[in-house]
Coordinates of all heavy atoms in Angstrom, one line a residue:
M230 N -5.2 -12.8 8.5 CA -5.9 -11.7 9.2 C -7.4 -11.8 8.8 O -7.7 -12.2 7.6 CB -5.4 -10.4 8.9 CG -6.1 -9.3 9.4 SD -5.5 -7.5 9.3 CE -4.6 -7.5 7.8
N231 N -8.2 -11.5 9.6 CA -9.7 -11.5 9.4 C -10.0 -10.6 8.2 O -9.4 -9.5 8.0 CB -10.4 -10.9 10.6 CG -11.9 -10.8 10.4 OD1 -12.3 -10.0 9.6 ND2 -12.6 -11.6 11.1
D232 N -10.8 -11.1 7.2 CA -11.1 -10.4 6.0 C -11.7 -9.0 6.3 O -11.3 -8.0 5.6 CB -12.1 -11.1 5.1 CG -11.4 -12.4 4.5 OD1 -10.2 -12.5 4.5 OD2 -12.2 -13.2 4.0
T233 N -12.5 -8.8 7.3 CA -13.1 -7.5 7.6 C -12.0 -6.6 8.0 O -12.0 -5.4 7.6 CB -14.1 -7.7 8.8 OG1 -15.1 -8.6 8.3 CG2 -14.8 -6.4 9.1
L234 N -11.0 -7.0 8.9 CA -10.0 -6.1 9.3 C -9.1 -5.7 8.1 O -8.7 -4.6 8.0 CB -9.1 -6.8 10.4 CG -9.7 -6.9 11.7 CD1 -8.8 -7.7 12.7 CD2 -10.0 -5.6 12.3
A235 N -8.8 -6.7 7.2 CA -8.0 -6.4 6.0 C -8.7 -5.3 5.1 O -8.1 -4.4 4.7 CB -7.7 -7.6 5.2
R236 N -10.0 -5.5 4.9 CA -10.8 -4.5 4.1 C -10.8 -3.2 4.7 O -10.6 -2.2 4.1 CB -12.2 -5.1 3.8 CG -12.3 -6.2 2.8 CD -13.7 -6.5 2.4 NE -14.6 -6.7 3.5 CZ -14.8 -7.9 4.1 NH1 -14.1 -9.0 3.6 NH2 -15.7 -8.1 5.1
L237 N -11.0 -3.2 6.1 CA -11.0 -1.9 6.8 C -9.7 -1.2 6.7 O -9.6 0.0 6.5 CB -11.5 -2.0 8.2 CG -12.9 -2.2 8.5 CD1 -13.1 -2.6 10.0 CD2 -13.6 -0.9 8.2
A238 N -8.6 -2.0 6.8 CA -7.2 -1.4 6.7 C -7.0 -0.8 5.4 O -6.4 0.4 5.3 CB -6.2 -2.5 7.1
E239 N -7.4 -1.4 4.3 CA -7.3 -0.9 3.0 C -8.1 0.4 2.8 O -7.6 1.4 2.2 CB -7.7 -1.9 2.0 CG -6.7 -3.1 1.9 CD -5.2 -2.7 1.6 OE1 -5.1 -1.8 0.7 OE2 -4.4 -3.2 2.3
M240 N -9.3 0.4 3.3 CA -10.2 1.6 3.2 C -9.6 2.7 3.9 O -9.5 3.9 3.4 CB -11.6 1.3 3.7 CG -12.6 2.4 3.6 SD -12.5 3.6 5.0 CE -13.0 2.6 6.4
L241 N -9.0 2.5 5.1 CA -8.4 3.5 5.9 C -7.2 4.1 5.3 O -7.0 5.3 5.3 CB -8.1 3.0 7.3 CG -9.3 2.7 8.2 CD1 -8.8 2.0 9.5 CD2 -10.2 3.9 8.5
E242 N -6.4 3.3 4.6 CA -5.3 3.8 3.8 C -5.8 4.7 2.7 O -5.2 5.7 2.5 CB -4.4 2.6 3.3 CG -3.6 2.0 4.3 CD -2.6 2.9 4.9 OE1 -1.9 3.7 4.1 OE2 -2.4 2.9 6.2
S243 N -6.8 4.3 2.0 CA -7.3 5.0 0.9 C -7.8 6.4 1.3 O -7.8 7.3 0.5 CB -8.4 4.2 0.1 OG -9.5 4.2 0.8
R244 N -8.3 6.5 2.5 CA -8.9 7.7 2.9 C -7.8 8.8 3.3 O -8.2 9.9 3.5 CB -9.8 7.5 4.1 CG -11.1 6.7 3.8 CD -11.9 7.3 2.7 NE -13.3 6.7 2.6 CZ -13.6 5.6 2.0 NH1 -12.7 4.9 1.4 NH2 -14.8 5.2 2.0
K245 N -6.6 8.4 3.4 CA -5.5 9.3 3.8 C -5.4 10.4 2.7 O -5.0 11.5 3.1 CB -4.2 8.6 3.9 CG -4.1 7.8 5.2 CD -2.8 7.1 5.3 CE -2.6 6.4 6.7 NZ -1.3 5.7 6.9
T246 N -5.8 10.1 1.5 CA -5.7 11.2 0.4 C -7.0 11.7 0.1 O -7.1 12.5 -0.9 CB -5.0 10.6 -0.8 OG1 -5.7 9.4 -1.2 CG2 -3.6 10.2 -0.5
A247 N -8.1 11.3 0.8 CA -9.4 11.8 0.5 C -9.7 13.2 1.0 O -8.9 13.7 1.9 CB -10.5 10.9 1.0
D248 N -10.7 13.9 0.5 CA -11.1 15.2 0.9 C -11.8 15.1 2.2 O -12.8 14.4 2.3 CB -12.0 15.8 -0.2 CG -12.5 17.2 0.1 OD1 -12.1 17.7 1.2 OD2 -13.3 17.7 -0.6
P249 N -11.4 15.8 3.2 CA -12.0 15.8 4.5 C -13.5 16.2 4.4 O -14.3 15.8 5.3 CB -11.2 16.8 5.4 CG -9.9 16.8 4.7 CD -10.1 16.6 3.3
Q250 N -13.9 16.9 3.4 CA -15.3 17.3 3.3 C -16.1 16.2 2.8 O -17.4 16.2 2.9 CB -15.4 18.5 2.3 CG -14.7 19.8 2.8 CD -15.2 20.2 4.2 OE1 -16.4 20.3 4.5 NE2 -14.2 20.6 5.1
S251 N -15.5 15.1 2.2 CA -16.3 14.1 1.7 C -16.1 12.7 2.4 O -16.7 11.7 2.0 CB -15.9 13.8 0.2 OG -14.5 13.4 0.1
S252 N -15.2 12.7 3.4 CA -14.9 11.4 4.1 C -14.8 11.7 5.6 O -14.0 12.5 6.0 CB -13.6 10.9 3.5 OG -13.1 9.8 4.4
Y253 N -15.5 10.9 6.4 CA -15.4 11.0 7.8 C -14.0 10.7 8.3 O -13.4 11.4 9.1 CB -16.4 10.1 8.5 CG -16.3 10.0 10.0 CD1 -16.6 11.0 10.8 CD2 -15.8 8.8 10.5 CE1 -16.5 10.9 12.2 CE2 -15.6 8.7 11.9 CZ -16.0 9.8 12.7 OH -15.8 9.7 14.1
V254 N -13.4 9.6 7.7 CA -12.1 9.2 8.1 C -11.1 10.2 7.7 O -10.2 10.6 8.5 CB -11.8 7.8 7.5 CG1 -10.3 7.4 7.8 CG2 -12.7 6.8 8.1
A255 N -11.2 10.8 6.5 CA -10.3 11.9 6.1 C -10.4 13.1 7.0 O -9.4 13.7 7.4 CB -10.5 12.3 4.7
K256 N -11.6 13.4 7.5 CA -11.8 14.5 8.4 C -11.1 14.1 9.8 O -10.4 15.0 10.3 CB -13.3 14.7 8.7 CG -13.6 15.9 9.6 CD -15.1 16.1 9.8 CE -15.7 16.6 8.6 NZ -17.1 17.1 8.8
L257 N -11.1 12.9 10.2 CA -10.4 12.5 11.4 C -8.9 12.7 11.2 O -8.2 13.2 12.1 CB -10.7 11.0 11.8 CG -12.0 10.8 12.5 CD1 -12.2 9.3 12.7 CD2 -12.1 11.5 13.9
Y258 N -8.4 12.2 10.1 CA -7.0 12.3 9.8 C -6.6 13.8 9.8 O -5.5 14.2 10.3 CB -6.6 11.7 8.4 CG -6.6 10.2 8.4 CD1 -7.0 9.6 7.2 CD2 -6.1 9.4 9.4 CE1 -7.0 8.2 7.1 CE2 -6.1 8.1 9.3 CZ -6.5 7.4 8.2 OH -6.5 6.1 8.0
A259 N -7.4 14.7 9.3 CA -7.1 16.1 9.2 C -7.0 16.7 10.6 O -6.3 17.7 10.8 CB -8.2 16.8 8.4
K260 N -7.7 16.1 11.6 CA -7.7 16.6 12.9 C -6.4 16.2 13.7 O -6.1 16.7 14.7 CB -8.9 16.1 13.7 CG -10.2 16.7 13.3 CD -11.3 16.2 14.1 CE -12.7 16.8 13.6 NZ -13.8 16.4 14.4
G261 N -5.7 15.3 13.0 CA -4.4 14.9 13.6 C -4.6 13.9 14.8 O -5.7 13.5 15.1
M262 N -3.5 13.5 15.4 CA -3.5 12.5 16.5 C -4.4 12.9 17.6 O -5.1 12.1 18.2 CB -2.1 12.2 16.9 CG -2.1 11.0 17.9 SD -2.7 9.5 17.3 CE -1.3 8.9 16.4
D263 N -4.3 14.2 18.0 CA -5.1 14.7 19.1 C -6.6 14.4 18.9 O -7.3 14.0 19.8 CB -4.8 16.1 19.5 CG -3.5 16.3 20.1 OD1 -2.9 15.3 20.6 OD2 -3.1 17.5 20.2
G264 N -7.1 14.8 17.7 CA -8.5 14.6 17.3 C -8.9 13.1 17.3 O -10.0 12.7 17.8
I265 N -8.0 12.3 16.8 CA -8.3 10.8 16.7 C -8.3 10.3 18.1 O -9.2 9.5 18.5 CB -7.2 10.2 15.9 CG1 -7.3 10.6 14.4 CG2 -7.3 8.6 16.0 CD1 -6.1 10.2 13.6
L266 N -7.4 10.7 19.0 CA -7.3 10.1 20.3 C -8.5 10.6 21.2 O -9.0 9.9 22.0 CB -6.0 10.5 21.0 CG -4.8 9.9 20.4 CD1 -3.5 10.5 21.1 CD2 -4.8 8.4 20.5
K267 N -9.0 11.8 20.9 CA -10.2 12.3 21.6 C -11.3 11.4 21.3 O -12.2 11.1 22.1 CB -10.4 13.8 21.2 CG -11.7 14.3 21.9 CD -11.9 15.8 21.5 CE -13.2 16.3 22.1 NZ -13.5 17.6 21.6
K268 N -11.5 11.1 20.0 CA -12.6 10.2 19.5 C -12.5 8.8 20.2 O -13.5 8.3 20.6 CB -12.6 10.2 18.0 CG -13.9 9.5 17.5 CD -15.1 10.4 17.8 CE -16.3 9.7 17.3 NZ -17.5 10.3 17.8
I269 N -11.3 8.3 20.3 CA -11.1 7.0 20.9 C -11.5 7.1 22.3 O -12.2 6.2 22.9 CB -9.6 6.5 20.8 CG1 -9.3 6.1 19.3 CG2 -9.4 5.3 21.7 CD1 -7.9 5.8 19.0
G270 N -11.1 8.2 23.1 CA -11.5 8.3 24.4 C -13.0 8.4 24.6 O -13.6 7.7 25.5
E271 N -13.7 9.1 23.7 CA -15.2 9.2 23.7 C -15.8 7.8 23.5 O -16.7 7.4 24.2 CB -15.7 10.1 22.6 CG -15.4 11.6 22.9 CD -15.7 12.4 21.7 OE1 -16.3 11.9 20.7 OE2 -15.3 13.6 21.7
E272 N -15.3 7.0 22.5 CA -15.8 5.7 22.3 C -15.5 4.7 23.4 O -16.3 3.9 23.7 CB -15.2 5.2 20.9 CG -15.6 6.0 19.7 CD -17.1 6.2 19.5 OE1 -17.9 5.4 20.0 OE2 -17.5 7.1 18.7
A273 N -14.4 4.9 24.0 CA -14.0 4.0 25.2 C -15.0 4.2 26.3 O -15.5 3.3 27.0 CB -12.6 4.2 25.6
A274 N -15.3 5.5 26.6 CA -16.3 5.8 27.6 C -17.7 5.3 27.3 O -18.3 4.7 28.2 CB -16.3 7.3 27.8
E275 N -18.1 5.4 26.1 CA -19.4 4.9 25.7 C -19.4 3.3 25.8 O -20.5 2.8 26.1 CB -19.7 5.3 24.3 CG -20.0 6.8 24.2 CD -20.1 7.4 22.8 OE1 -20.1 6.6 21.8 OE2 -20.3 8.6 22.6
T276 N -18.3 2.7 25.5 CA -18.2 1.2 25.6 C -18.3 0.8 27.1 O -19.0 -0.1 27.4 CB -16.9 0.7 25.0 OG1 -16.8 1.1 23.6 CG2 -16.8 -0.8 25.1
I277 N -17.7 1.5 27.9 CA -17.7 1.3 29.4 C -19.2 1.4 29.9 O -19.7 0.6 30.6 CB -16.8 2.2 30.2 CG1 -15.3 1.9 29.8 CG2 -17.1 2.1 31.7 CD1 -14.3 2.9 30.3
I278 N -19.8 2.5 29.5 CA -21.2 2.7 29.9 C -22.1 1.6 29.4 O -23.0 1.0 30.1 CB -21.7 4.1 29.5 CG1 -21.0 5.2 30.2 CG2 -23.2 4.2 29.7 CD1 -21.1 6.6 29.6
A279 N -21.9 1.2 28.1 CA -22.8 0.1 27.6 C -22.5 -1.2 28.4 O -23.5 -1.9 28.7 CB -22.4 -0.1 26.1
A280 N -21.3 -1.4 28.7 CA -21.0 -2.7 29.4 C -21.6 -2.6 30.8 O -22.2 -3.6 31.3 CB -19.5 -2.9 29.5
K281 N -21.5 -1.5 31.5 CA -22.1 -1.3 32.9 C -23.6 -1.5 32.8 O -24.2 -2.1 33.7 CB -21.8 0.1 33.4 CG -20.3 0.3 33.8 CD -20.0 -0.3 35.1 CE -20.5 0.6 36.2 NZ -20.3 0.0 37.5
D282 N -24.2 -1.0 31.7 CA -25.7 -1.2 31.5 C -26.1 -2.6 31.2 O -27.2 -3.0 31.4 CB -26.2 -0.3 30.4 CG -26.2 1.2 30.8 OD1 -26.0 1.5 32.1 OD2 -26.3 2.1 30.0
G283 N -25.2 -3.4 30.7 CA -25.4 -4.8 30.4 C -26.2 -5.0 29.1 O -26.8 -6.1 28.9
D284 N -26.4 -4.0 28.3 CA -27.1 -4.1 27.0 C -26.2 -4.7 25.9 O -25.3 -4.0 25.4 CB -27.6 -2.7 26.6 CG -28.5 -2.8 25.4 OD1 -28.3 -3.6 24.5 OD2 -29.4 -1.9 25.3
R285 N -26.4 -6.0 25.6 CA -25.6 -6.7 24.6 C -25.5 -6.0 23.3 O -24.4 -5.8 22.7 CB -26.1 -8.1 24.4 CG -25.9 -9.0 25.6 CD -26.5 -10.4 25.4 NE -26.1 -11.0 24.1 CZ -25.0 -11.7 23.9 NH1 -24.2 -12.0 24.9 NH2 -24.8 -12.3 22.7
E286 N -26.6 -5.5 22.8 CA -26.5 -4.8 21.5 C -25.7 -3.5 21.5 O -24.9 -3.2 20.6 CB -27.9 -4.6 20.9 CG -28.7 -5.8 20.5 CD -27.9 -6.6 19.4 OE1 -27.4 -6.0 18.4 OE2 -27.8 -7.8 19.6
K287 N -25.9 -2.8 22.6 CA -25.1 -1.5 22.8 C -23.6 -1.8 23.0 O -22.8 -1.1 22.5 CB -25.6 -0.7 24.0 CG -26.9 0.1 23.6 CD -27.3 1.0 24.8 CE -26.6 2.3 24.8 NZ -27.1 3.2 25.8
I288 N -23.3 -2.9 23.7 CA -22.0 -3.3 23.9 C -21.3 -3.6 22.6 O -20.2 -3.1 22.3 CB -21.8 -4.5 24.8 CG1 -22.3 -4.1 26.3 CG2 -20.4 -5.1 24.9 CD1 -22.5 -5.3 27.2
I289 N -22.0 -4.3 21.7 CA -21.5 -4.7 20.4 C -21.3 -3.4 19.6 O -20.2 -3.2 18.9 CB -22.4 -5.7 19.7 CG1 -22.4 -7.0 20.4 CG2 -22.0 -5.8 18.2 CD1 -23.5 -8.0 20.0
H290 N -22.3 -2.6 19.5 CA -22.2 -1.4 18.8 C -21.1 -0.4 19.2 O -20.3 0.0 18.4 CB -23.6 -0.6 18.8 CG -23.6 0.7 18.1 ND1 -23.9 0.7 16.8 CD2 -23.4 1.9 18.5 CE1 -23.8 2.0 16.3 NE2 -23.5 2.7 17.4
E291 N -21.0 -0.2 20.5 CA -19.9 0.7 21.0 C -18.6 0.1 20.9 O -17.6 0.8 20.6 CB -20.2 1.0 22.4 CG -21.5 1.9 22.7 CD -21.6 3.2 21.9 OE1 -20.5 3.7 21.4 OE2 -22.7 3.7 21.7
T292 N -18.4 -1.2 21.0 CA -17.1 -1.9 20.8 C -16.7 -1.8 19.4 O -15.5 -1.5 19.1 CB -17.2 -3.3 21.3 OG1 -17.5 -3.4 22.7 CG2 -15.8 -4.0 21.1
A293 N -17.6 -1.9 18.5 CA -17.3 -1.7 17.1 C -16.8 -0.3 16.8 O -15.8 -0.1 16.1 CB -18.5 -2.1 16.2
D294 N -17.5 0.7 17.4 CA -17.0 2.1 17.2 C -15.6 2.3 17.8 O -14.8 2.9 17.2 CB -18.0 3.0 18.0 CG -19.3 3.2 17.2 OD1 -19.5 2.8 16.1 OD2 -20.2 3.8 17.8
L295 N -15.4 1.7 19.0 CA -14.0 1.8 19.6 C -13.0 1.1 18.7 O -11.9 1.7 18.5 CB -14.1 1.2 21.0 CG -12.8 1.1 21.8 CD1 -12.2 2.5 21.9 CD2 -13.0 0.4 23.1
W296 N -13.3 -0.1 18.3 CA -12.3 -0.8 17.4 C -12.0 0.0 16.1 O -10.9 0.2 15.7 CB -12.8 -2.2 17.1 CG -12.7 -3.2 18.2 CD1 -12.5 -2.9 19.5 CD2 -12.9 -4.5 18.1 NE1 -12.5 -4.1 20.2 CE2 -12.7 -5.1 19.4 CE3 -13.1 -5.4 17.0 CZ2 -12.8 -6.5 19.6 CZ3 -13.2 -6.8 17.3 CH2 -13.1 -7.3 18.6
F297 N -13.1 0.6 15.5 CA -13.0 1.3 14.3 C -12.0 2.5 14.5 O -11.1 2.7 13.7 CB -14.3 1.8 13.8 CG -14.2 2.6 12.5 CD1 -14.0 2.0 11.3 CD2 -14.2 4.0 12.6 CE1 -13.9 2.7 10.1 CE2 -14.1 4.7 11.4 CZ -13.9 4.1 10.2
H298 N -12.3 3.3 15.5 CA -11.5 4.5 15.8 C -10.0 4.1 16.2 O -9.1 4.8 15.8 CB -12.2 5.4 16.7 CG -13.4 6.0 16.2 ND1 -14.6 5.5 16.2 CD2 -13.5 7.2 15.4 CE1 -15.5 6.2 15.5 NE2 -14.9 7.2 15.1
T299 N -9.9 3.0 16.8 CA -8.5 2.5 17.1 C -7.8 2.1 15.8 O -6.6 2.4 15.6 CB -8.6 1.3 18.1 OG1 -9.2 1.7 19.3 CG2 -7.2 0.8 18.4
L300 N -8.5 1.5 14.9 CA -7.9 1.2 13.6 C -7.5 2.5 12.8 O -6.5 2.5 12.1 CB -8.9 0.4 12.7 CG -9.1 -1.1 13.2 CD1 -10.3 -1.7 12.4 CD2 -7.9 -1.9 13.1
V301 N -8.3 3.6 13.0 CA -8.0 4.8 12.4 C -6.6 5.4 13.0 O -5.7 5.8 12.2 CB -9.1 5.9 12.6 CG1 -8.6 7.3 12.1 CG2 -10.3 5.5 11.8
M302 N -6.5 5.2 14.3 CA -5.3 5.6 15.0 C -4.1 4.8 14.5 O -3.0 5.3 14.2 CB -5.4 5.5 16.5 CG -4.2 5.9 17.3 SD -3.1 4.6 17.7 CE -4.1 3.4 18.5
L303 N -4.3 3.5 14.4 CA -3.2 2.6 13.9 C -2.8 3.1 12.5 O -1.6 3.3 12.2 CB -3.6 1.2 13.9 CG -3.7 0.5 15.2 CD1 -4.4 -0.9 15.0 CD2 -2.4 0.4 15.9
A304 N -3.7 3.3 11.6 CA -3.4 3.7 10.2 C -2.7 5.0 10.2 O -1.8 5.2 9.4 CB -4.7 3.7 9.4
H305 N -3.2 5.9 11.0 CA -2.6 7.3 11.1 C -1.1 7.2 11.5 O -0.3 8.0 11.0 CB -3.3 8.1 12.1 CG -2.8 9.5 12.1 ND1 -3.1 10.5 11.1 CD2 -2.2 10.2 13.1 CE1 -2.6 11.6 11.4 NE2 -2.0 11.5 12.6
T306 N -0.8 6.2 12.3 CA 0.6 6.0 12.7 C 1.4 5.1 11.8 O 2.6 4.7 12.1 CB 0.8 5.5 14.1 OG1 0.1 4.3 14.3 CG2 0.1 6.5 15.1
G307 N 0.8 4.6 10.7 CA 1.5 3.7 9.8 C 1.5 2.3 10.2 O 2.2 1.5 9.7
L308 N 0.6 1.9 11.1 CA 0.5 0.5 11.6 C -0.7 -0.1 11.0 O -1.7 0.6 10.5 CB 0.5 0.5 13.1 CG 1.7 0.9 13.8 CD1 1.5 1.1 15.3 CD2 2.9 0.0 13.6
R309 N -0.8 -1.4 11.0 CA -1.9 -2.2 10.4 C -2.4 -3.1 11.5 O -1.7 -3.4 12.5 CB -1.5 -2.9 9.2 CG -1.0 -1.9 8.1 CD -0.6 -2.6 6.8 NE -1.7 -3.2 6.1 CZ -2.5 -2.6 5.2 NH1 -2.4 -1.3 5.1 NH2 -3.4 -3.3 4.6
P310 N -3.6 -3.6 11.3 CA -4.2 -4.5 12.3 C -3.3 -5.7 12.4 O -3.2 -6.3 13.5 CB -5.6 -4.9 11.7 CG -5.9 -3.7 10.8 CD -4.6 -3.2 10.3
Q311 N -2.7 -6.2 11.4 CA -1.8 -7.4 11.5 C -0.7 -7.2 12.5 O -0.3 -8.1 13.1 CB -1.2 -7.7 10.1 CG -0.5 -9.0 10.1 CD -1.5 -10.2 10.4 OE1 -2.6 -10.3 9.9 NE2 -1.1 -11.0 11.4
D312 N -0.2 -6.0 12.6 CA 0.8 -5.7 13.6 C 0.3 -6.0 15.1 O 1.1 -6.6 15.8 CB 1.2 -4.2 13.6 CG 1.9 -3.9 12.2 OD1 2.7 -4.6 11.7 OD2 1.5 -2.8 11.7
V313 N -0.9 -5.7 15.3 CA -1.5 -6.0 16.6 C -1.8 -7.5 16.8 O -1.5 -8.1 17.8 CB -2.8 -5.2 16.9 CG1 -3.4 -5.5 18.2 CG2 -2.5 -3.6 16.8
L314 N -2.3 -8.1 15.7 CA -2.5 -9.5 15.7 C -1.3 -10.3 15.9 O -1.2 -11.3 16.6 CB -3.3 -9.9 14.4 CG -4.7 -9.4 14.2 CD1 -5.2 -9.8 12.8 CD2 -5.6 -9.9 15.4
N315 N -0.2 -9.8 15.3 CA 1.1 -10.5 15.5 C 1.6 -10.4 17.0 O 2.1 -11.4 17.5 CB 2.2 -9.9 14.6 CG 2.0 -10.1 13.2 OD1 1.3 -11.0 12.8 ND2 2.7 -9.3 12.3
E316 N 1.3 -9.3 17.6 CA 1.7 -9.1 19.0 C 0.8 -10.0 19.9 O 1.3 -10.6 20.8 CB 1.6 -7.6 19.5 CG 1.8 -7.4 20.9 CD 3.2 -7.8 21.4 OE1 4.1 -8.0 20.6 OE2 3.3 -7.9 22.7
L317 N -0.5 -10.1 19.6 CA -1.3 -11.0 20.3 C -0.9 -12.5 20.1 O -0.9 -13.2 21.1 CB -2.8 -10.9 19.9 CG -3.5 -9.5 20.3 CD1 -4.8 -9.4 19.6 CD2 -3.6 -9.4 21.8
A318 N -0.5 -12.8 18.9 CA -0.1 -14.2 18.7 C 1.3 -14.4 19.5 O 1.4 -15.6 20.0 CB 0.2 -14.4 17.2
R319 N 2.1 -13.4 19.5 CA 3.3 -13.6 20.3 C 3.1 -13.9 21.8 O 3.7 -14.7 22.4 CB 4.2 -12.3 20.2 CG 5.6 -12.4 20.9 CD 6.3 -11.1 21.0 NE 5.7 -10.2 21.9 CZ 5.8 -10.2 23.2 NH1 6.4 -11.2 23.8 NH2 5.2 -9.3 24.0
R320 N 2.0 -13.2 22.3 CA 1.7 -13.4 23.7 C 0.9 -14.6 24.0 O 0.8 -15.0 25.2 CB 0.8 -12.2 24.1 CG 1.6 -10.9 24.1 CD 0.6 -9.8 24.6 NE 1.3 -8.4 24.5 CZ 0.7 -7.4 24.9 NH1 -0.5 -7.4 25.5 NH2 1.3 -6.2 24.7
E321 N 0.3 -15.2 23.0 CA -0.5 -16.4 23.2 C 0.3 -17.5 23.9 O 1.4 -17.8 23.5 CB -0.9 -17.0 21.8 CG -2.0 -18.0 21.9 CD -2.5 -18.3 20.5 OE1 -2.1 -17.8 19.5 OE2 -3.5 -19.1 20.5
G322 N -0.3 -18.0 25.0 CA 0.4 -19.1 25.7 C 1.3 -18.5 26.8 O 1.8 -19.3 27.6
L323 N 1.5 -17.3 26.8 CA 2.4 -16.7 27.8 C 1.5 -16.3 29.1 O 0.3 -15.9 28.9 CB 3.0 -15.3 27.4 CG 4.1 -15.5 26.3 CD1 4.6 -14.0 25.9 CD2 5.3 -16.3 26.7
S324 N 2.0 -16.5 30.2 CA 1.3 -16.0 31.4 C 1.2 -14.5 31.3 O 2.2 -13.8 31.1 CB 2.1 -16.4 32.6 OG 1.7 -15.6 33.7
G325 N 0.0 -14.0 31.6 CA -0.2 -12.6 31.6 C 0.7 -11.8 32.6 O 1.2 -10.8 32.4
L326 N 0.8 -12.5 33.7 CA 1.6 -11.9 34.8 C 3.1 -11.9 34.4 O 3.7 -10.9 34.7 CB 1.4 -12.6 36.1 CG 0.0 -12.6 36.7 CD1 -0.1 -13.5 37.9 CD2 -0.4 -11.2 37.0
A327 N 3.5 -12.9 33.8 CA 4.9 -13.0 33.4 C 5.2 -12.0 32.3 O 6.2 -11.3 32.3 CB 5.3 -14.4 32.9
E328 N 4.3 -11.9 31.3 CA 4.4 -10.9 30.2 C 4.5 -9.5 30.7 O 5.3 -8.7 30.3 CB 3.3 -11.1 29.2 CG 3.5 -10.5 27.8 CD 3.2 -9.0 27.8 OE1 2.3 -8.6 28.6 OE2 3.8 -8.3 27.0
K329 N 3.6 -9.2 31.7 CA 3.6 -7.9 32.2 C 4.9 -7.5 33.0 O 5.5 -6.5 32.9 CB 2.4 -7.6 33.2 CG 2.3 -6.2 33.7 CD 1.0 -6.0 34.6 CE 1.0 -4.6 35.1 NZ 0.0 -4.4 36.0
A330 N 5.3 -8.5 33.8 CA 6.6 -8.3 34.5 C 7.8 -8.1 33.6 O 8.6 -7.3 33.9 CB 6.9 -9.5 35.4
A331 N 7.8 -8.8 32.4 CA 8.9 -8.6 31.5 C 8.8 -7.2 30.9 O 9.9 -6.6 30.7 CB 8.8 -9.7 30.4
R332 N 7.6 -6.7 30.6 CA 7.5 -5.3 30.1 C 8.0 -4.3 31.1 O 8.6 -3.3 30.7 CB 6.1 -5.0 29.7 CG 5.7 -5.6 28.3 CD 4.3 -5.1 27.9 NE 3.3 -5.8 28.6 CZ 2.2 -5.3 29.1 NH1 1.9 -4.0 28.9 NH2 1.3 -6.0 29.8
E333 N 7.7 -4.5 32.3 CA 8.1 -3.6 33.4 C 9.5 -3.5 33.6 O 10.1 -2.5 34.0 CB 7.3 -3.9 34.6 CG 5.8 -3.6 34.6 CD 5.1 -4.1 35.8 OE1 5.6 -4.8 36.7 OE2 3.9 -3.7 35.9
K334 N 10.3 -4.5 33.3 CA 11.8 -4.6 33.4 C 12.4 -3.7 32.3 O 13.5 -3.2 32.5 CB 12.3 -6.0 33.3 CG 12.0 -6.8 34.5 CD 12.6 -8.2 34.4 CE 12.2 -9.0 35.6 NZ 12.6 -10.4 35.4
N335 N 11.7 -3.6 31.1 CA 12.3 -2.8 30.0 C 12.0 -1.4 30.1 O 11.5 -0.6 30.6 CB 11.7 -3.3 28.7 CG 12.2 -4.7 28.4 OD1 13.3 -5.1 28.8 ND2 11.4 -5.5 27.8

């Protein structure tokens, strides 16, 4: 796994027991899944706007925000970035159309 993702995953785990008054991530955890998902929605919208504007630096910045908040959601649910990377590796080399069709049958 990418070192940055591994470090972020460890930091996010450590913030689960932090004081929400002293940690942004702990404050997100305290808001629960609804608060975390609201933040992901906001960041997704900002990423879309940045992409529509075509500003490379804003796209990078907003995508980083979106990824970060998605990592918070994963940690909140007990998942790690490696779980997603494993799924991407599983899909590697599969036809996207075939993979989607297989999911729709289940």
